[in-house]
Amino acid sequence: MNYQIIIKSVNNVNEIEGYWSDEDFIQLLEKFNYPDASSAEKKNLPELLWMAISDYEPNEAAEIVLTYKLSEVLNEGQIQQISHNMLIDKVCEEYPEISMQGTLYHINQLLFKAYNGKFPNAKASVIAFSMKPFESEEEEKLTAENVLKLLNNGLSDRNLIKRLFDDQMTQNIPFPEAEDIVWELTTLDNVNYNLVTSENWLNKEDFLASEFEGVLEEIVEEL
């Protein structure tokens, strides 16, 4: 099916609001030995956490937050290694397990804010766009896989997704990595969408045009 695609805006942000819940802040405050975190005013929780974190060495703080979020998928040695690497590299862009890059981004930015820049500043891209089929008046909700495939015609050949996943982007084969590359995908009407991902995957310079066409073919599952 042919689609008309319009890129409305591509913005880079230092954090994605709403990722960390009040309960996250309370539990992290307790892990950083802040007393009576549960009785603090909700609006003050983020700043209290940043102050509590800053009493620790950066790699120690990173290890605590990493353990809180990723202890079920990483062992102690891996967490220690990442906690040191985060001070010198954008681990959230380089980590080989794509499924973990989004979580690592949020951890990185929490620590970046707490330490006033001692950690590298990674950025996310928030992209607003519309995708409307030419032939059909009934729009179906698109998946992350659908959206990335449809964006292909408007992206530069330098784009990281196109370079790493050329077959998945251009052929009617499954693209399971799309669900991890796209951190958030929301729509209210199945035409206008907002997508959140790493700046490393998609940024303003990757788009060759603001309007273009794309073709979405039925995926042929591999046997």
Short mmCIF file of all heavy atoms in Angstrom, two decimals, residues 1 49 53 71 78 85 97 103 112 123 127 129 136 139 145 171 176:
data_model
loop_
_atom_site.label_atom_id
_atom_site.label_comp_id
_atom_site.label_asym_id
_atom_site.label_seq_id
_atom_site.Cartn_x
_atom_site.Cartn_y
_atom_site.Cartn_z
N MET A 1 0.84 -1.19 0.00
CA MET A 1 0.00 0.00 0.00
C MET A 1 0.88 1.25 0.00
O MET A 1 1.89 1.31 0.69
CB MET A 1 -0.91 0.00 1.24
CG MET A 1 -1.93 1.13 1.25
SD MET A 1 -3.00 1.08 2.72
CE MET A 1 -3.90 -0.43 2.42
N LEU A 49 16.49 13.65 44.71
CA LEU A 49 17.30 12.55 44.20
C LEU A 49 18.62 13.05 43.64
O LEU A 49 19.68 12.47 43.90
CB LEU A 49 16.53 11.76 43.14
CG LEU A 49 17.30 10.59 42.50
CD1 LEU A 49 17.73 9.58 43.56
CD2 LEU A 49 16.45 9.91 41.43
N ILE A 53 22.17 11.80 44.96
CA ILE A 53 23.11 11.16 44.05
C ILE A 53 24.47 11.84 44.10
O ILE A 53 25.52 11.19 44.10
CB ILE A 53 22.56 11.16 42.60
CG1 ILE A 53 21.44 10.13 42.46
CG2 ILE A 53 23.68 10.87 41.59
CD1 ILE A 53 20.78 10.13 41.09
N SER A 71 19.19 -5.04 36.99
CA SER A 71 19.79 -6.20 37.68
C SER A 71 19.21 -7.53 37.21
O SER A 71 19.85 -8.57 37.38
CB SER A 71 19.60 -6.06 39.20
OG SER A 71 18.23 -6.00 39.53
N GLN A 78 28.97 -6.95 34.73
CA GLN A 78 28.54 -6.12 33.60
C GLN A 78 28.12 -4.73 34.06
O GLN A 78 28.43 -3.73 33.42
CB GLN A 78 27.37 -6.80 32.87
CG GLN A 78 27.76 -8.06 32.11
CD GLN A 78 26.54 -8.81 31.58
OE1 GLN A 78 25.56 -9.01 32.29
NE2 GLN A 78 26.61 -9.20 30.31
N ASN A 85 32.24 2.81 32.13
CA ASN A 85 32.23 3.24 30.73
C ASN A 85 31.33 4.45 30.49
O ASN A 85 31.59 5.27 29.60
CB ASN A 85 31.77 2.08 29.82
CG ASN A 85 32.79 0.97 29.74
OD1 ASN A 85 33.94 1.13 30.14
ND2 ASN A 85 32.37 -0.19 29.24
N GLU A 97 23.30 -4.63 22.75
CA GLU A 97 21.92 -5.09 22.91
C GLU A 97 20.98 -3.91 22.71
O GLU A 97 20.78 -3.09 23.61
CB GLU A 97 21.72 -5.71 24.30
CG GLU A 97 22.55 -6.95 24.56
CD GLU A 97 22.11 -8.13 23.71
OE1 GLU A 97 20.94 -8.16 23.30
OE2 GLU A 97 22.95 -9.00 23.45
N THR A 103 16.66 2.18 27.96
CA THR A 103 16.82 2.26 29.42
C THR A 103 18.15 2.90 29.79
O THR A 103 18.21 3.75 30.70
CB THR A 103 16.73 0.85 30.04
OG1 THR A 103 15.49 0.26 29.68
CG2 THR A 103 16.83 0.92 31.55
N PHE A 112 23.53 12.50 34.17
CA PHE A 112 24.04 13.73 33.55
C PHE A 112 23.50 14.95 34.28
O PHE A 112 24.23 15.91 34.57
CB PHE A 112 23.63 13.76 32.07
CG PHE A 112 23.91 15.07 31.38
CD1 PHE A 112 25.19 15.37 30.91
CD2 PHE A 112 22.90 16.01 31.20
CE1 PHE A 112 25.45 16.58 30.29
CE2 PHE A 112 23.16 17.22 30.58
CZ PHE A 112 24.43 17.51 30.12
N LYS A 123 21.30 12.43 23.50
CA LYS A 123 20.03 13.09 23.17
C LYS A 123 19.06 12.11 22.49
O LYS A 123 19.48 11.16 21.83
CB LYS A 123 20.28 14.29 22.26
CG LYS A 123 21.02 15.42 22.96
CD LYS A 123 21.03 16.68 22.13
CE LYS A 123 21.69 17.81 22.90
NZ LYS A 123 21.66 19.09 22.15
N ILE A 127 9.99 12.91 16.96
CA ILE A 127 9.62 13.17 15.57
C ILE A 127 8.10 13.13 15.43
O ILE A 127 7.45 12.15 15.80
CB ILE A 127 10.26 12.11 14.64
CG1 ILE A 127 11.78 12.09 14.85
CG2 ILE A 127 9.93 12.41 13.17
CD1 ILE A 127 12.46 10.87 14.26
N PHE A 129 5.02 13.27 12.71
CA PHE A 129 4.83 13.03 11.28
C PHE A 129 3.43 12.47 11.03
O PHE A 129 2.74 12.04 11.96
CB PHE A 129 5.88 12.04 10.76
CG PHE A 129 5.86 10.70 11.45
CD1 PHE A 129 5.11 9.65 10.94
CD2 PHE A 129 6.57 10.50 12.62
CE1 PHE A 129 5.08 8.42 11.58
CE2 PHE A 129 6.56 9.28 13.27
CZ PHE A 129 5.81 8.23 12.75
N SER A 136 -6.78 3.92 0.53
CA SER A 136 -7.79 3.52 1.50
C SER A 136 -8.20 4.69 2.37
O SER A 136 -7.39 5.54 2.74
CB SER A 136 -7.25 2.39 2.38
OG SER A 136 -8.14 2.11 3.43
N GLU A 139 -7.77 4.05 7.93
CA GLU A 139 -6.38 3.96 8.34
C GLU A 139 -6.20 2.93 9.45
O GLU A 139 -6.95 2.92 10.41
CB GLU A 139 -5.87 5.33 8.82
CG GLU A 139 -5.85 6.41 7.75
CD GLU A 139 -7.16 7.14 7.63
OE1 GLU A 139 -8.02 6.94 8.51
OE2 GLU A 139 -7.34 7.89 6.65
N GLU A 145 7.71 -1.29 13.19
CA GLU A 145 8.26 -1.89 11.98
C GLU A 145 7.69 -1.21 10.74
O GLU A 145 8.45 -0.84 9.82
CB GLU A 145 7.93 -3.38 11.96
CG GLU A 145 8.41 -4.11 10.73
CD GLU A 145 8.01 -5.58 10.75
OE1 GLU A 145 6.79 -5.86 10.81
OE2 GLU A 145 8.90 -6.43 10.71
N GLN A 171 13.04 -4.62 2.11
CA GLN A 171 12.38 -5.84 1.64
C GLN A 171 11.20 -6.19 2.55
O GLN A 171 11.12 -5.73 3.69
CB GLN A 171 13.39 -6.99 1.60
CG GLN A 171 14.58 -6.74 0.68
CD GLN A 171 15.59 -7.87 0.73
OE1 GLN A 171 15.25 -9.02 0.99
NE2 GLN A 171 16.85 -7.55 0.46
N PRO A 176 12.26 -7.30 13.44
CA PRO A 176 11.96 -7.32 14.88
C PRO A 176 12.72 -6.27 15.67
O PRO A 176 12.24 -5.81 16.71
CB PRO A 176 12.36 -8.74 15.30
CG PRO A 176 13.33 -9.21 14.26
CD PRO A 176 12.89 -8.56 12.99
#
